[in-house]
Amino acid sequence: MLVDQKNLTTIWFDDEFSLVKIIDQRFLPHELKIVTLFNLEDAEYAIREMQVRGAPLIGVTAAFGMYLASLNNSSNDSMIQSGIFLKNARPTAVNLSWSVNKILKDIESIDVSSRKNFILDLAKKIRSDDIEACRKIGENGASFIEDIYKKKQSPVNILTHCNAGWLATVDWGTALSPIFNANKKNIPIHVWVDETRPRNQGFNLTAWELINENINCSLIVDNVGGHLMQKGMVDLCITGTDRTTSTGDVCNKIGTYLKALAAHDNNIPFYVAAPISSIDFDISDGLKEIPIEERDASEVTSITGLNSNKKLETVSIIPENAKAVNYAFDVTPAKFITKIITEKGNVNPDKESITNLLKV
Ligand code: MRU
């Protein structure tokens, strides 16, 4: 998508110098920093410290992490250990284990001497498949926005939580892809952007993406959504997901559940955009089976932004010695979800419809 009128993706392989490059998202929207991942440890750090984040992008970064690991040692034992190391970086997004497991399985029949190039090609394919899946999610999800516009003939108000835009994937995004698609079709839209404390991915990343694409948006703090819904100011909600069960329970950024509850109470459709790589077909109970990441309390107790000298600064916002907890994700039960938007079509959040996706 566009940054300063130039197309950019979140991760790429620089063929000329054989380097893996990423945008370090920790400094956005204030600074666009591009860094190189030189080895497995860099890839693990990038995922754990959220230089890259968003379920699909975590998965693609892990694939390149496996390639970087193979430069050092591509024996079975070493690749399995590297896979475990990467998978432990962040526990909730299933895309991470999905891409590591895919690589481990696909290299089984490949001679150790040919693995480096094989894994690099595989990582590049996982990357390009992600772009295509997200582009299709955009096409499939835009129909819901278009239908509302046809009925209402005035800008469609969409609420989104966290960042599930191109920065959370390689390009296009998941929840924002239908929005980008609808905007390119000149459907008038307005997006309510949830702040998404504690790390503020909504303000820092989603707003930045929308502004770069010239999409009308308003920034709101996390508790405003329910009020807007009661006042008829939200036509639909779209979020992404870090892991969706075979029965349609959706795990996503903390606070998603409360938005879905409010949407349900106000008869507002709640859509979840999910590439197949974010669906965990092996589990059926989101509340019991999805590991919820707990992050450092400092993300809650402090906040980072530009100071009056336009320098990034982190300040404490709590009484000294106050205790905080930091759950990063929650689970929205399937009954609160209207449809799941995938690259293979829009499906109901139930076991039959979701498992059928494996056959398409
Ligand atoms: O903690 P983050 O920033 O990695 O969380 C991201 C989200 O919760 C996204 O909504 C989710 O990964 C879907 S991304 C397309």
Side-chain angles (χ1 to χ4, degrees), residues 50 53-56 90 162-164 168 174 201 241-242 252-253 329:
M50 295 176 68
R53 26 69 50 204
R90 288 193 76 188
C162 195
N163 171 264
T174 60
Q201 290 94 327
T241 175
D242 288 81
N252 192 48
K253 181 53 56 192
F329 298 96

Side-chain angles (χ1 to χ4, degrees), residues 116-146:
K116 273 184 256 181
N117 288 340
F118 182 84
I119 300 173
L120 177 59
D121 286 345
L122 207 50
K124 285 182 177 175
K125 175 146 172 38
I126 289 173
R127 176 184 179 276
S128 56
D129 284 353
D130 186 71
I131 297 176
E132 186 53 13
C134 289
R135 194 189 62 75
K136 285 193 181 138
I137 284 173
E139 282 179 3
N140 295 338
S143 59
F144 297 121
I145 302 173
E146 201 165 359

Side-chain angles (χ1 to χ4, degrees), residues 28 55 79 117 119 186 231:
L28 288 173
M79 292 310 298
N117 288 340
I119 300 173
N186 294 321
K231 293 284 180 188

Side-chain angles (χ1 to χ4, degrees), residues 324-344:
V325 287
N326 188 6
Y327 293 103
F329 298 96
D330 61 24
V331 174
T332 300
K335 64 182 173 187
F336 297 123
I337 289 150
T338 311
K339 287 270 183 201
I340 298 178
I341 304 166
T342 82
E343 66 269 40
K344 294 187 178 176

Side-chain angles (χ1 to χ4, degrees), residues 188-260:
I189 46 185
H190 165 259
V191 183
W192 296 110
V193 180
D194 274 356
E195 177 179 20
T196 321
R197 275 283 287 152
R199 288 185 68 102
N200 295 355
Q201 290 94 327
F203 282 8
N204 289 338
L205 308 177
T206 298
W208 185 71
E209 288 191 25
L210 294 172
I211 289 164
N212 275 310
E213 291 288 325
N214 274 320
I215 295 175
N216 186 16
C217 61
S218 304
L219 279 52
I220 51 174
V221 296
D222 289 325
N223 289 328
V224 175
H227 168 73
L228 296 175
M229 292 185 209
Q230 287 174 320
K231 293 284 180 188
M233 294 164 80
V234 179
D235 296 305
L236 76 157
C237 305
I238 316 182
T239 72
T241 175
D242 288 81
R243 193 186 292 232
T244 286
T245 67
S246 62
T247 50
D249 292 343
V250 166
C251 183
N252 192 48
K253 181 53 56 192
I254 193 82
T256 302
Y257 170 54
L258 292 179
K259 293 298 143 68

